[in-house]
Amino acid sequence: MTEKFDCIIIGAGPSGVATAYNLVNAGLNVVIFERGETPGSKNMFGGILYSTILNRLIPEFWKEAPVERHITRKRYSLLSKDSEIAFDLNFNAFNKPPYNNSFTVLRAKFDKWFAKKAEDAGALIITEAVVDDFITDDGKIQGVKVRMEEGAVYGDVVVCAEGANSLLAEKAGMKKKPDPGIMIMGVKEIISLPEEIINDRFCLEDGQGCAFEFFGEALGGVTGSGFIYTNKDTLSVGIGCPIAVLRNNRLKPNELIEGFKRHPSVHNLLRGGKIEEFSAHMIPEGGYNVMPELTKDGLILVGDCAGLLNPSLYKEGTNMAMASGVFAAETIIEAREKGDFSKAALNSYVKRLKESFVFKDLKRYKDVPEILHSLPGLFKEYPEGIIELLQGYFTISEKSKDENRKEIMRTFKDKVSLWKFLIDMYKTRRFFR
Amino acid sequence: MEEHLKPLGEKTLPEKLFLLRFKVDKDNHLILNKDVCWECDERVCLFICPSEVYRWDEGRKEVIVSYEGCLECGSCRIACKEGAIDWRNPRGGFGVSYKFG
Ligand SMILES: Cc1cc2nc3c(=O)[nH]c(=O)nc-3n(C[C@H](O)[C@H](O)[C@H](O)COP(=O)(O)OP(=O)(O)OC[C@H]3O[C@@H](n4cnc5c(N)ncnc54)[C@H](O)[C@@H]3O)c2cc1C
Ligand code: SF4
Ligand code: SF4
């Protein structure tokens, strides 16, 4: 390729495509290299697209985008080995546009659609093309090396949107290889069920969806969680577990997801299903505390490779990825007017991130992963204690209620140190506030 | 029993991988530094991989890599403390392709 581009983007996930979409709409000449057969073919996520940014880029996108269901019901449950207590929320207000900006999607379909929108707007998208390295001259990034014949491609600026497995961001010296404590292994299965059965089983009407999150002993007592999200006629069923936890406990991810599916509360929700797909992907949860360099001469990092993911209950990654793409595009348009793509000029990207919900939320939840690691009790001792306590409370017997209550408090205290419990619960306030 | 009430059928890992579409390249994209692996006592790669790409060959006394079934999640590179895995993206268009994702 002898042509020089205004901007080269590595990766056609939400962050790369959002960058491209904004740049081509401002008249820039943009190319995206994507290693998959099609955009999305390499990508997997839990399943909820948060769409405030997308709705600004493509108003009422849900009318044309391949969304599965909008989320009206959320359920947070605490599992012990064989029991469950849950907190269930239903919001009727989320049944109308913009549907609380939460939709389940399947990435192979959604990413393809979103990339096509950028393509129609004028972006050049080259699939089956892996970027292996940058072309650097005098410290400034001048372009990329694509694994193909005559694969040197030049541009004014490069946007790295390669996702969680950040080989290139590391190569460019923006970050070190991430620590296994902050990288979560996500394993997921797609399980098909007829649409009416899903509606029935999860108490949903056509188009409505739910997100079930499972904590406590979802992974047999180690740090991590499980989820079930409803798609139109499939369920996304998966787990997340820090790589350091897998390593320290010598656990196999496939056995963890099998164990999760065997829990009685989960098992019953999956009846009649058929496994259609098995997949794995990493989630970068280091957030604010391990933020990489976000810019250098001729280069901007966006999305997961920049660590822009909210590690709290929200697990918001797609929205932050798209927001960072929008900010990168604004920055590049500005830099182009001045003809200056130096780090100093590109740093207004960081400023934009700081002023937005992205940095504010990352900062707010920066300690969540560490707190979770420091509270192993949350994943075994406490759920067991709490569930046993409640079970005792609701057990019908001929003991007097007073006698019964005293007895169950005694067993709870035997199991769980009350002070430690209260202190640990206090530590978790950050997750919810 | 009615179809929708039957327990979810279990699938073994090979059965699950069989559901996926892999376009297999002739070149391995996960190159191990065998000298480092020989000295390694943790051998996390043997259990950390969701598709169990790494196996210990007792006869050859080395780690065998069945890169053909790699889901390209990148976890092995993060988990291997010794940095013995030279992890490269497979050639464009090769490797796993998800239908749902
Ligand atoms: C299990 C799991 C559950 C999740 N749940 C949610 C959720 O419910 N809601 C939510 O909002 N977020 C969720 N996330 C996070 C979300 O998926 C990410 O934050 C988001 O996809 C990041 O977008 P991205 O564009 O930065 O990266 P990606 O979506 O990973 O896109 C990167 C793209 O770059 C391509 N690429 C990589 N390297 C190269 C290269 N060298 N050359 C060419 N192309 C390359 C890849 O093929 C890919 O298409 C979840 C993630 C996981 C793994
Ligand atoms: S790849 Fe890493 S973990 Fe596996 S044997 Fe080699 S050095 Fe050890
Ligand atoms: S990248 Fe993931 S699937 Fe591939 S070998 Fe490593 S751990 Fe296994």
Side-chain angles (χ1 to χ4, degrees), chain A residues 10-15 33-35 42-48 50 107 129-131 161-163 168 186 281-283 303-304 309 315-318 321, chain B residues 89:
Chain A
I10 306 164
S15 63
F33 293 105
E34 165 56 50
R35 67 192 193 89
K42 297 285 187 191
N43 301 344
M44 174 277 255
F45 84 148
I48 305 174
Y50 298 104
R107 295 289 298 275
V130 185
V131 173
E162 65 182 331
L168 290 166
H281 202 284
M282 288 192 292
I283 316 174
D304 272 11
L309 186 132
K315 294 260 184 269
E316 219 179 300
T318 46
Chain B
N89 279 306

Side-chain angles (χ1 to χ4, degrees), chain A residues 35 37 41-42 107-108 130 147 170 177 185 188-189 201 247 250 253-254 258 271-273 277 282, chain B residues 4-6 8 16 21 42 44 47-48 72-73 77 79-80 89 92-94 96 98-101:
Chain A
R35 67 192 193 89
E37 252 176 14
S41 66
K42 297 285 187 191
R107 295 289 298 275
V130 185
R147 207 184 301 170
E170 291 166 40
K177 185 172 97 168
M185 153 111 52
K188 171 172 130 173
E189 289 179 9
R201 188 166 297 168
R247 194 173 81 183
R250 298 187 82 82
N254 182 49
E258 284 300 321
R271 281 183 184 278
E277 188 170 89
M282 288 192 292
Chain B
H4 71 276
L5 296 175
K6 286 192 184 143
L8 174 73
K16 289 184 196 178
R21 198 159 59 82
E42 238 189 331
V44 280
F47 54 87
I48 205 98
E72 298 158 39
C73 68
R77 185 179 74 95
C80 170
N89 279 306
F94 284 81
V96 69
Y98 292 130
K99 208 166 90 197
F100 297 88

Side-chain angles (χ1 to χ4, degrees), chain A residues 316-337:
Chain A
E316 219 179 300
T318 46
N319 211 22
M320 289 196 171
M322 288 189 195
S324 64
V326 171
F327 297 143
E330 287 171 6
T331 305
I332 290 166
I333 292 164
E334 204 180 76
R336 191 160 174 265
E337 278 161 12

Side-chain angles (χ1 to χ4, degrees), chain B:
Chain B
M1 202 191 292
E2 276 184 81
E3 209 50 49
H4 71 276
L5 296 175
K6 286 192 184 143
L8 174 73
E10 293 211 5
K11 275 197 187 329
T12 60
L13 183 59
E15 283 168 348
K16 289 184 196 178
L17 296 175
F18 191 71
L19 298 168
L20 293 170
R21 198 159 59 82
F22 292 99
K23 193 165 154 196
V24 177
D25 199 358
K26 57 183 193 320
D27 294 322
N28 180 0
H29 63 285
L30 310 162
I31 309 294
L32 298 188
N33 182 339
K34 300 225 159 155
D35 295 335
V36 178
C37 295
W38 173 245
E39 306 259 338
C40 170
D41 43 20
E42 238 189 331
R43 302 230 164 97
V44 280
C45 56
L46 301 183
F47 54 87
I48 205 98
C49 169
S51 65
E52 296 178 17
V53 157
Y54 300 90
R55 270 179 309 108
W56 177 253
D57 187 318
E58 196 43 52
R60 285 158 63 182
K61 297 271 184 239
E62 62 177 22
V63 180
I64 307 286
V65 186
S66 315
Y67 69 94
E68 300 86 347
C70 173
L71 303 175
E72 298 158 39
C73 68
S75 310
C76 50
R77 185 179 74 95
I78 303 296
C80 170
K81 251 196 286 203
E82 289 70 16
I85 306 172
D86 178 13
W87 203 107
R88 290 183 27 134
N89 279 306
R91 187 144 58 104
F94 284 81
V96 69
S97 276
Y98 292 130
K99 208 166 90 197
F100 297 88

Side-chain angles (χ1 to χ4, degrees), chain A residues 50-209:
Chain A
Y50 298 104
S51 58
T52 58
I53 305 293
L54 182 58
N55 194 23
R56 242 190 292 143
L57 298 182
I58 305 171
E60 305 197 324
F61 67 92
W62 55 81
K63 291 188 172 157
E64 51 165 312
V67 298
E68 297 289 316
R69 291 168 183 259
H70 61 270
I71 302 297
T72 55
R73 180 177 177 206
K74 286 196 165 256
R75 190 161 178 278
Y76 296 95
S77 81
L78 190 66
L79 301 179
S80 68
K81 208 164 163 222
D82 59 0
S83 300
E84 174 187 30
I85 51 175
F87 187 57
D88 206 329
L89 309 117
N90 270 291
F91 299 105
N92 198 34
F94 296 168
N95 266 317
K96 53 179 194 293
Y99 302 105
N100 194 34
N101 284 299
S102 315
F103 298 87
T104 44
V105 304
L106 296 164
R107 295 289 298 275
K109 297 177 193 168
F110 175 80
D111 288 13
K112 195 171 172 183
W113 169 82
F114 191 32
K116 181 79 174 40
K117 295 301 284 186
E119 198 169 31
D120 290 347
L124 175 61
I125 301 185
I126 302 182
T127 52
E128 308 201 341
V130 185
V131 173
D132 278 327
D133 208 344
F134 298 99
I135 300 168
T136 312
D137 187 20
D138 218 9
K140 183 198 176 292
I141 304 274
Q142 306 281 357
V144 297
K145 288 180 197 152
V146 186
R147 207 184 301 170
M148 53 168 66
E149 239 167 84
E150 294 174 41
V153 185
Y154 294 87
D156 282 337
V157 61
V158 175
V159 173
C160 184
E162 65 182 331
N165 192 17
S166 51
L167 301 168
L168 290 166
E170 291 166 40
K171 235 178 202 169
M174 313 296 273
K175 66 198 272 192
K176 290 201 301 264
K177 185 172 97 168
D179 185 89
I182 58 153
M183 296 301 277
I184 310 294
M185 153 111 52
V187 182
K188 171 172 130 173
E189 289 179 9
I190 292 286
I191 293 178
S192 60
L193 267 175
E195 189 173 352
E196 319 78 69
I197 302 282
I198 293 181
N199 290 352
D200 243 32
R201 188 166 297 168
F202 293 89
C203 306
L204 303 166
E205 285 173 39
D206 277 353
Q208 299 177 347

